[in-house]
Amino acid sequence: MPVTDPAPHLRLPPTDRVRSPLTGWTRAHWEALADRQLDAVLPYATPGLAQYRLPGRASWSGVVLDGLEGYARTFLLASFRIAGAGGPGGGDVSPHLIERYTEGLTTGTDRDSPEAWPVLTDCSQQMVEAASIAIGLHETRPWIWDRLDVRVQERVVDWLSGFVSARTWDNNWRLFQVVSEQFLASVGAPYSRSDIDDGLDRIEDWYVGDGWYTDGDGRNFDYYNGWAMHLYPLMWARIAGPGGDGGRAAIYRDRLARFLATYPQFFGADGAPVHQGRSLTYRFATTAPVWMGALADCTPLAPGLTRRLASGVARHFVERGAPDRRGLLPLGWYGTFLPATQPYSGPASPYWASKGFLGLLLPADHPVWTERELPLPVERSVQYTALPAPGWLLHGTPHDGIVRLVNHGSDHNPPEGPATDDPHYAKLAYSTATAPEAAPHAWARATDNHLTLLAPDGTPSRRVRIHPLTCEGRRASSRHDAHVPGREEPFPVESTSVLHGPWELRVHRVRAPADIAVREGGYAVADGTRPESARGPGWALTRTESGLTSVMVGLYGWDEETAIAEEVESNAFGPYSATPVLRATTRTTDGPSVHVSLVALTRDSVYPEALRTTITCAVRDDGTVEVTFPDGETLTI
């Protein structure tokens, strides 16, 4: 994806390379970016300002709910901007911003208005939006809530009271009820203490240690851990106030501190977050837990690192077209890319990015805004980070600034019953420089970062439920049952990843009949032009015009003949994408087989022919694999 720097349509201030030597960004940049986005949505407001009906694909909830989403999520951004500036007149905040959202609140809660917001019902999308409105009202209380006409206050309470004793989805949605009812309590309105306590008690079932929650039952690990599971409990504590949290806030602060200790390892030197999980169109929201750590005074990160991480993310997207030239955030990653979204994503869904502006609540003289930027971990040294809770290895290399996530633990499936595979969860690896092939036509082939068993007609198996086995140091392993269409019984596959320098060594043990072929793909690289490709005996390579290179080298159990899988309009990083592929088309016996591959994603020059001749691989009779690298280190798996 080409970088456009600067972004003149956003009217950003000059960079400050003294205070911010790595990004050039200051608080003024964040304020300007917030203001531009708030200005840009105004032309799409309904006459009473209760809905913002933005252009783009509608969600499954319909145009009215999409319009409410437009109000609620941009109000969250406006509330951080207003409160951070100390109200109108402070920090160049226009009083019209307060008037605008006050009028929308007045109109939306008027049941006789043609712009009225739908009432809250069990598991309804408006619950999500109500939580943003409740948080926004709390943060702007002196300038909006306290100045509302009593009748409007009563209507707002009436609308939010739909949460009381209502049923939500049993995941992060429990926290929407918690914060909204706590706001009702804070303004003296009726609420249910048991709703709040039950919701907070429920997330205890999902806490798995080291700062990690699964989002509901199952192994659902992604950015929701930061922008929902950590964010809302601490926002609840802010609303509850000192002494009103029953001691829970101290626990939440400790958990967030544990999470933040390794969170910077998820970000590349160019500011890109690892591209994994759902709702990636929220973009800047990946910075929300970093800001919350500073806001709740529980972060282990130095102030200069906090700002460098957050500003790096914001600048990364701004330079790549988000917001676009209209000032809008499209549904996608950089530009519009619908396969990176979900059916519940509507035109205003990307504005959960507003959570990434939480740092504006910190005063301008806070050390986060005044201290000099510090480099990210990937900018300092090679990073190997094992995260046993989600079953991930993080691997960062400073010479190219890329961070890779090796996945042996997150599948986004319930513990039992029907399960599906999702390209944003089922892959063996993700990175800050690539995205999975996510369009339906490409995902059906399940090629990139996937170990696939192929039926005789070529239909691929799926990696559905991932069962983690180990995750420590530089290695992790897992197993899954490969379901091959046309076969009743699943075939077990055990996979191990070991990191070595810029490489990932993968060892797969497959138990399947001899007529089942095996295929493995590396990272899919994507660009605005067709990537180059090269193949040789036992290796394949794809490279973008900018030099981003994906390599697969077969060390054991693979055919000499390799392949390149090319796709069009299937990748969030560009319209043309390509993946190097290894194949084992002839397996001589039924039962177990071992397949060893070397995987790389790099901006270095790579010579796979030399690697294949200088790296030795031996498989013993007991299945133990020994690989010796040119530097003399031997890995035993």
Side-chain angles (χ1 to χ4, degrees), residues 492-515:
V493 176
E494 183 178 316
S495 301
T496 298
S497 297
V498 184
L499 305 179
H500 180 82
W503 299 90
E504 177 196 348
L505 181 72
R506 294 179 186 166
V507 177
H508 305 285
R509 306 176 193 278
V510 176
R511 185 177 293 275
D515 64 335

Side-chain angles (χ1 to χ4, degrees), residues 203-214 230 255 258:
I203 69 172
E204 296 303 308
D205 298 330
W206 302 326
Y207 185 68
V208 296
D210 295 332
W212 283 92
Y213 294 87
T214 176
H230 281 294
R255 290 176 180 175
R258 292 172 183 270

Side-chain angles (χ1 to χ4, degrees), residues 316-334:
H316 178 83
F317 285 107
V318 164
E319 290 179 339
R320 290 160 178 80
D324 62 19
R325 291 195 170 274
R326 299 169 297 178
L328 301 178
L329 292 174
L331 277 166
W333 185 241
Y334 298 134

